[in-house]
């Protein structure tokens, strides 16, 4: 395209955009008018310039090139009717094209801008399924997200404010995680799990966390919920919320610190098996297969060793009636090999991170 023709095309485009600001029809009407002019002019070209010889598609192609000031027909129409068509296309055709183009671009930009602002401000609804919802935020949240992302989990976070440097892959919802509307936005009903972090604004008061647990249980009782507590005295209240698992973060950190103090070099080992983000090893629990009913722990552990897993213990339900959450099952480290298996039972193993061979069977 020559410089002169390019300038002409730009001027026509500007004329079309200016015209679009005054044009009051909707996008569909503008598009219909533009297509009508396009196909109508193609028919006139086929008649005036080619006397209905050749292909109508070729005439349509000539009209399209005329809109951008290119092609033999745009440069030198052979008939007076052809000159009228070029004039109409150069003025009204480009103007209508500007209307349609400007309207489409404006809608696309507004849609994308609305979505981006909604994600940043936490006002959109989460579309994930089988994800993990983190309720609340504290200093441990950064490491928690790192571990969950390393395991391939999708994450939704509910917090009063968006944390600094939060990954764009994490869906953020701004608000109070104990409110029904906020939990719905985070997709709690389609989530696989929920983690309730202790809110530093409440200090050692666990009441807010328990309230969140009650809200999740009321909406999605099938979601596996893990709650972080400060005071062990509050565990009985958390059990009323039917929380599946409870962690005492402060005491856990203290126990690990003391262990590292008395056992030189063990800290690296602990970091390895407690993290899934280091391409090392981690803990995992697996349901004992049905065919092991009545067999021994030795048989079960041999089954896992053959699959490159290192079994270290079992988890069994207590001998009481009624439903008991897995977090209240009894854990036994290094059980006797001759113990007879009574299902249900879970085997706890050390496996390579992202290990999936056992779960596929």
């Amino acid at each position: 395209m020559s410089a002169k023709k390019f300038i002409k095309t730009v001027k026509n485009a500007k004329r079309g955009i200016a015209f679009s600001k005054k044009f009051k029809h909707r996008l569909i009407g503008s598009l219909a008018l533009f297509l009508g002019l396009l196909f109508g002019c193609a028919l006139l070209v086929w008649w005036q310039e080619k006397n209905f010889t050749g292909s109508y598609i070729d005439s349509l192609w000539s009209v399209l090139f005329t809109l951008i000031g290119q092609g033999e027909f745009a440069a030198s129409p052979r008939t007076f009717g052809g000159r009228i068509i070029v004039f109409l296309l150069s003025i009204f055709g480009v103007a209508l094209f500007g209307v349609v183009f400007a309207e489409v671009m404006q809608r696309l930009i507004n849609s994308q801008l609305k979505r981006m602002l909604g994600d940043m401000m936490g006002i959109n609804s989460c579309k994930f399924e089988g994800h993990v919802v983190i309720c609340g935020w504290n200093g441990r949240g950064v490491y928690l997200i790192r571990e969950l992302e390393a395991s391939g989990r999708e994450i939704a976070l509910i917090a009063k404010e968006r944390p600094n440097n939060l990954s764009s892959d994490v869906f953020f919802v701004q608000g109070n995680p104990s409110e029904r509307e906020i939990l719905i936005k985070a997709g709690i009903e389609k989530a696989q799990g929920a983690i309730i972090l202790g809110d530093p604004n409440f200090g050692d008061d666990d009441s807010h966390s328990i309230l969140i647990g009650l809200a999740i249980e009321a909406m999605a009782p099938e979601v596996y919920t893990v709650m972080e507590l400060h005071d062990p005295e509050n565990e009985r209240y958390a059990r009323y919320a039917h929380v599946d698992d409870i962690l005492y973060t402060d005491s856990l950190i203290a126990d690990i610190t003391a262990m590292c103090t008395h056992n030189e070099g063990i800290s690296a080992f602990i970091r390895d098996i407690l993290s899934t983000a280091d391409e090392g090893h981690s803990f995992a629990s697996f349901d004992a297969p049905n065919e092991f009913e009545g067999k021994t722990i030795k048989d079960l552990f041999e089954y896992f060793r053959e699959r490159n897993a290192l079994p270290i213990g079992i988890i069994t339900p207590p001998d009481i009636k009624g439903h008991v959450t897995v977090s209240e099952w009894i854990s036994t480290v290094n059980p006797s090999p001759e113990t007879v298996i009574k299902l249900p039972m879970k085997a706890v193993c050390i496996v390579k991170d992202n290990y999936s061979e056992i779960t596929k069977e």
Side-chain angles (χ1 to χ4, degrees):
M1 183 186 296
S2 65
K4 188 174 182 179
K5 289 183 178 180
F6 178 76
I7 293 173
K8 180 182 177 181
T9 302
V10 172
K11 287 182 177 180
N12 286 335
K14 287 183 177 179
R15 194 180 296 119
I17 293 173
F19 183 70
S20 71
K21 294 180 180 179
K22 300 178 181 179
F23 201 76
K24 302 301 182 181
H25 289 85
R26 295 180 180 271
L27 174 62
I28 296 177
S30 302
L31 182 60
L33 190 58
F34 172 72
L35 292 176
L37 179 65
L38 189 66
F39 288 108
C41 286
L43 182 61
L44 290 174
V45 169
W46 194 29
W47 170 41
Q48 291 290 318
E49 294 288 313
K50 300 182 179 181
N51 196 25
F52 295 118
T53 59
S55 171
Y56 173 77
I57 299 299
D58 292 336
S59 299
L60 182 61
W61 191 253
S62 298
V63 169
L64 287 173
F65 268 79
T66 302
L67 286 175
I68 59 174
Q70 294 293 300
E72 180 182 351
F73 173 66
S76 56
R78 292 190 295 269
T79 65
F80 177 76
R83 295 186 182 96
I84 296 298
I85 294 170
V86 170
F87 174 78
L88 291 174
L89 290 174
S90 299
I91 302 300
F92 297 103
V94 173
L96 282 172
F97 178 75
V99 170
V100 175
F101 180 77
E103 183 69 19
V104 170
M105 290 303 297
Q106 183 178 8
R107 294 191 181 195
L108 286 175
I109 291 172
N110 287 344
S111 176
Q112 290 296 321
L113 185 61
K114 182 179 179 181
R115 184 188 63 80
M116 291 174 60
L117 289 176
D119 288 345
M120 292 179 61
M121 299 175 64
I123 59 177
N124 288 341
S125 296
C126 181
K127 304 298 183 184
F128 296 156
E129 293 186 13
H131 59 295
V132 175
V133 179
I134 300 176
C135 302
W137 188 255
N138 56 33
R140 291 175 289 278
V142 175
Y143 306 103
L144 177 60
I145 287 179
R146 184 190 68 180
E147 294 296 322
L148 289 173
E149 287 184 328
S151 65
R153 291 296 184 87
E154 292 180 310
I155 308 166
L157 168 65
I158 304 175
K160 292 183 178 179
E161 296 180 356
R162 184 184 182 90
N164 294 329
N165 301 321
L166 182 67
S167 171
S168 59
D169 294 329
V170 177
F171 188 89
F172 174 66
V173 179
Q174 186 174 31
N176 186 341
S178 64
E179 296 180 2
R180 176 182 176 84
E181 294 77 10
I182 300 300
L183 287 171
I184 291 175
K185 284 185 178 181
I188 191 64
E189 295 170 316
K190 296 182 180 181
Q192 181 274 328
I195 300 174
I196 304 173
L197 293 180
D199 192 333
N201 295 320
F202 290 85
D204 293 337
D205 186 1
D206 295 318
S207 59
H208 183 63
S209 297
I210 295 172
L211 183 62
I212 296 172
L214 288 169
I216 294 175
E217 171 63 22
M219 294 182 60
E222 71 284 355
V223 172
Y224 192 88
T225 310
V226 179
M227 179 182 292
E228 184 181 70
L229 288 181
H230 293 284
D231 189 352
E233 293 294 326
N234 293 325
E235 179 173 345
R236 63 182 184 274
Y237 302 114
R239 296 299 179 189
Y240 294 150
H242 299 286
V243 174
D244 296 288
D245 220 336
I246 296 175
L247 293 177
Y248 302 101
T249 310
D250 295 336
S251 61
L252 180 62
I253 293 175
D255 291 341
I256 293 176
T257 303
M259 189 184 306
C260 293
T261 303
H262 292 94
N263 300 275
E264 297 180 2
I266 200 175
S267 60
F269 179 83
I270 293 175
R271 281 197 303 269
D272 183 11
I273 62 174
L274 291 182
S275 173
T276 57
D278 57 3
E279 298 183 356
H281 297 77
S282 58
F283 284 118
S285 64
F286 304 96
D287 291 322
N290 293 332
E291 61 265 26
F292 282 92
E293 176 75 41
K295 295 185 179 181
T296 64
I297 294 295
K298 179 180 179 181
D299 298 325
L300 180 65
F301 280 15
E302 184 63 29
Y303 167 83
F304 286 108
R305 290 192 188 97
E306 290 175 354
R307 288 154 179 78
N308 298 321
L310 176 62
I312 59 173
I314 58 173
I315 307 174
T316 54
D319 190 17
I320 59 176
K321 295 182 179 180
H323 173 72
V324 180
T325 60
V326 177
S327 63
E328 297 181 273
W329 286 19
I330 300 171
S331 60
T332 305
V333 179
N334 193 25
S336 171
E338 304 305 320
T339 301
V340 177
I341 295 174
K342 181 181 178 181
L343 298 180
M345 175 184 290
K346 288 181 176 289
V348 179
C349 306
I350 296 178
V351 299
K352 283 187 174 293
D353 291 337
N354 299 324
Y355 186 74
S356 58
E357 181 178 342
I358 295 176
T359 58
K360 288 181 179 178
E361 296 191 359

